[in-house]
Amino acid sequence: EEYVGQTKSPERFDARQKEHNRDLGVEHEYEVLGHAEPGKALDVLEETKLRENGGLAKEGGTLVNRRHQMREERYRQHGGATDDPNR
């Protein structure tokens, strides 16, 4: 399964990995897909990566994310330019 998420600092990234591994009792592989400042820029980056990596499985894509990070209108208003592959 693949999932796209965000953290607001390198320290939180490390802590989040440990939480996921411990909570599910498995070891995950993580890949940093990009960097952006916290706030709208980070939300746009996450939504862009959701779109670039196949979109949500519940909408016909490949990612197990439960929701989009941003609505279409908000995404475009803040500079998002990648079309959703499942819409």
Side-chain angles (χ1 to χ4, degrees):
E1 295 179 327
E2 293 184 14
Y3 173 87
V4 172
Q6 62 173 272
T7 61
K8 294 179 177 33
S9 71
E11 296 80 18
R12 186 66 190 130
F13 178 70
D14 291 338
R16 194 73 179 126
Q17 288 180 49
K18 291 174 185 165
E19 290 166 5
H20 280 302
N21 290 346
R22 182 180 59 246
D23 289 348
L24 297 174
V26 296
E27 187 171 330
H28 297 84
E29 292 182 22
Y30 296 89
E31 178 183 352
V32 176
L33 301 176
H35 294 276
E37 292 296 317
K40 297 292 185 261
L42 187 56
D43 288 344
V44 169
L45 176 60
E46 181 177 354
E47 181 62 30
T48 298
K49 294 304 178 184
L50 285 168
R51 294 167 183 230
E52 289 176 351
N53 288 284
L56 306 183
K58 69 180 183 181
E59 296 175 353
T62 59
L63 302 173
V64 297
N65 292 66
R66 291 185 182 156
R67 64 176 179 80
H68 287 275
Q69 184 61 25
M70 302 178 85
R71 289 180 295 109
E72 182 69 21
E73 181 180 347
R74 186 170 160 251
Y75 176 69
R76 299 294 179 177
Q77 286 173 345
H78 292 283
T82 303
D83 291 333
D84 187 327
N86 302 304
R87 290 188 182 169

